[in-house]
């Protein structure tokens, strides 16, 4: 089915000036960018976005990292977009990511891991709504 998923290019990859290279991977693999915005997250916005991880030991470092610089946030649309984006990203820990994946090529550590992607249909809907009012999404 055609799906939408939320993607974030994290501060490390924005600082490395590889937004275009990452967008190119989405586009050449059948994912269309249907909404996008660059934003420097406030602490409150980052904590809200990652609220499901609040009890995890890595939460504080994750939030600090995500507010360390601007991020590029986009909605990707395409056949099986959620799983396809996760395949393109590779494993959360770049040391475990398969060669040729975004994280293998651009990430430095499990925190500075270049990209985020929604992990399931329910989280994709919540994450898209967090950053984009429906009226600002253009799929045609
Ligand atoms: P992301 O897909 O943005 O979702 C939560 C983030 O927490 C994850 O990518 C990692 O960057 C970060 N993180 C740090 N440590 C861990 C861990 N042990 N397990 C999962 N995610 C972690």
């Amino acid at each position: 089915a055609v799906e939408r998923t939320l993607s974030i290019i994290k501060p490390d990859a924005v600082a490395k000036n590889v937004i275009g290279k990452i967008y190119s991977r989405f586009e050449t693999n059948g994912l269309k960018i249907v909404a996008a915005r660059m934003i420097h997250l406030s602490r409150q916005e980052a904590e809200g976005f990652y609220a499901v991880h609040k009890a995890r030991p890595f939460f504080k470092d994750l939030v600090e990292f995500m507010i360390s610089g601007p991020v590029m946030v986009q909605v990707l649309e395409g056949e099986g977009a959620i799983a396809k984006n996760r395949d393109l990203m590779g494993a959360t820990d770049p040391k475990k990511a398969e060669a040729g994946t975004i994280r293998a090529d651009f990430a430095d550590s499990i925190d500075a891991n270049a990209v985020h992607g929604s992990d399931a249909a329910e989280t994709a809907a919540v994450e898209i709504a967090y950053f984009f009012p429906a009226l600002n999404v253009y799929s045609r």
Side-chain angles (χ1 to χ4, degrees), residues 10 49-50 53 56 58 62 66 86 92 103 109-113 115-117:
K10 296 189 180 185
F49 181 75
Y50 282 120
H53 295 306
R56 304 280 213 107
F58 57 81
L62 172 62
M66 290 300 289
R86 292 183 71 78
T92 305
R103 283 167 171 158
S109 69
I110 195 164
D111 284 307
N113 67 347
V115 280
H116 166 82

Side-chain angles (χ1 to χ4, degrees), residues 93-112:
D93 181 350
K95 293 197 293 282
K96 295 175 186 157
E98 264 184 71
T101 60
I102 292 168
R103 283 167 171 158
D105 291 344
F106 302 116
D108 299 318
S109 69
I110 195 164
D111 284 307

